[in-house]
Amino acid sequence: MTSSILHRIEIADAHAHQFRVTLTVPQPAAQQRLSLPAWIPGSYLVREFARHLSQLQARQGSREIALQQLDKATWLAACDGRGALTVSYLVYAFDTSVRTAFLDARRGFFNGTSVFLRVAGREAEPQAVEMRGLPKGWRVGTALPALKTDARGQGLYRAADYDELVDHPVELGDFWRGEFKAAGVPHEFIVAGALPDFDGERLLADARRICEAEIAFWHGRKKPHFKRYVFMLNAVDDGYGGLEHRASTALIAARRDLPQRTPAPAKTEARAELSEGYVTLLGLISHEYFHTWNVKRLRPAEFARYDYTQENYTELLWFFEGFTSYYDDLLLLRAGLIDDARYLKLLAKTVTGVLAAPGRQVQSVAQSSFDAWVKYYRGDENTPNATISYYAKGSLVALALDLTLRTRGQGTLDDVMRGLWARSDGGPISQDDIAAVLHEVGGRSMAKELQAWVHGTGDLPLKELLQRAGVSWTQQAPTLVQRLGLRVSESALTGIKVSHVLRGGAAEAAGLAAGDELLGVDDWRLRRLDELLRLLPEDGSATLLVSRDQRLLHLPLVAAAAADSGAVALSPAPAPADNPAATAAQSLRQAWMRG
């Protein structure tokens, strides 16, 4: 393949965290516009990547030409007919997240949206990337198709167009790499920054089980739409996150959460009990891999063609992120990586978190999706009171729809997902498509449920639905912070600092505000929040001593709470042999959990 547009990326100065990028455009327009995306698909916030570009220079042959900046991320090159346009620039790269770019003396990483200029009018043309001159021992890891590369991955890579070019992140460095096949498709797992006792073989085996379960979910025994897949995991001291791409994903996890090699006699026992951190990592892997179908192929109709210059609004993130969040842990269960009790514990955590957010009564998940650009990634002290997560509540909408279909015996949400794939040929969909397939699978319109659960702010009928599915719902006693309706941070340096005051709680009624430091209660000095529980009188009434902006305040507190404000616990309900209803519920639960 001969590409018309070439992007060459080199390490300019690792200690200064700078990449050098050179763009070559054959036969440019007389007034050629160039721009850098303002956001990256999958992370719905305008991030202004162009702020990291500097020293832009343009030439045609040996002649320097004018490069005029038109706005925050667009430039105009005054070209003529005398040869290819070459634009060179530096990119500052020191963001360890999965969204942008990073470079130091040990590791490099970039997303195309952070480094590759877009040539106006030429976005649909083939693009090529050249990577050479890597430090000794460094290799290239990416799902971008190789055109001509050496053993370390240096050389030329190709993309059919600009969208494909920027949908393949690149990992650079001396990383660990492992391979496996799932449903006959080659998969790679790249891990940077792991500790010496990292158990790569365990990670590969568990990732393979996830991939095979998800391929079977979507395609049965058929092969998926991609020919190769790459996981890129950056292990750090403390961090968590992921970003999906069409044939790869970039992940971040804490090193302590990766599996550790164990002595041979302990291996059987180690597999039986997974750490909480490792289960969280497996859930992240499951989530991002599921996105290969649900948001990268199935996607909102508004995302049929990305506009990289501004927000791309949709009300459907409750489906694309929320339903993916529903299936990430459920498919760990179906893959045999966790048991029923662990799955119900994870589900209960989500239920508790949603019910603890006053914002669920203020914002619908459809509105939460639309407002992602200004609210989800910009949390503040009022976020729990004004918003609801389209991830968390969206996953519970999926649960409610699934159990509703199953209790009626008219199909499952699994059937809905596969029906949407068939209906759109793995392409853009609208809410009308979702409603239509729910109707087809369920045998009746579910418009009433969609209106109430997606566009309304009432609580979902989860307790009743779960009990019908043979799951016991137990409301636990509220903790102190639940009784007070606040969230705090504690440290030896800053003391007990209030981070959030929840709407309608005792802390709000007392007049507490975010930023307050709790100093004492009645005549006692308060050093840790758990001391407050011991110091409160039986009726929960006391006077708090609070520091706010150098002033000392005495605030009256009544630490009461509703009986249902505690965490929710879920467990399999017993099914006595002489109780046909309980036996039927148990069968429904097994069918739901096993798929």
Side-chain angles (χ1 to χ4, degrees), residues 354-378:
V354 169
L355 292 179
R360 77 187 192 282
Q361 299 174 325
V362 176
Q363 185 187 51
S364 69
V365 284
Q367 190 64 45
S368 174
S369 301
F370 194 86
D371 285 342
W373 297 92
V374 293
K375 292 187 177 182
Y376 183 79
Y377 293 94
R378 292 174 171 163

Side-chain angles (χ1 to χ4, degrees), residues 496-562:
I496 308 168
K497 278 253 183 164
V498 176
S499 59
H500 301 85
V501 176
L502 302 185
R503 188 73 67 241
E508 183 185 57
L512 281 166
D516 286 353
E517 183 182 359
L518 305 183
L519 300 177
V521 54
D522 290 338
D523 297 325
W524 292 91
R525 176 75 168 93
L526 194 59
R527 298 186 185 278
R528 298 185 308 275
L529 188 65
D530 59 9
E531 293 177 339
L532 180 57
L533 186 62
R534 301 177 62 189
L535 296 172
L536 282 175
E538 287 187 11
D539 64 0
S541 300
T543 299
L544 291 178
L545 178 62
V546 173
S547 172
R548 181 186 300 168
D549 190 28
Q550 289 190 301
R551 296 173 183 266
L552 296 179
L553 307 177
H554 293 82
L555 303 179
L557 174 71
V558 179

Side-chain angles (χ1 to χ4, degrees), residues 289-340:
Y289 194 67
F290 198 84
H291 270 319
T292 312
W293 293 268
N294 195 38
V295 91
K296 296 310 298 184
R297 284 288 299 269
L298 280 181
R299 60 192 182 278
E302 298 89 343
F303 291 178
R305 191 71 181 178
Y306 294 123
D307 181 348
Y308 293 104
T309 68
Q310 61 183 355
E311 297 88 347
N312 290 217
Y313 293 101
T314 179
E315 288 190 342
L316 291 178
L317 295 181
W318 60 268
F319 177 86
F320 291 99
E321 292 292 353
F323 281 40
T324 299
S325 296
Y326 170 61
Y327 277 108
D328 55 21
D329 288 336
L330 183 57
L331 287 168
L332 292 186
L333 174 64
R334 293 181 182 176
L337 291 168
I338 59 175
D339 59 17
D340 292 9

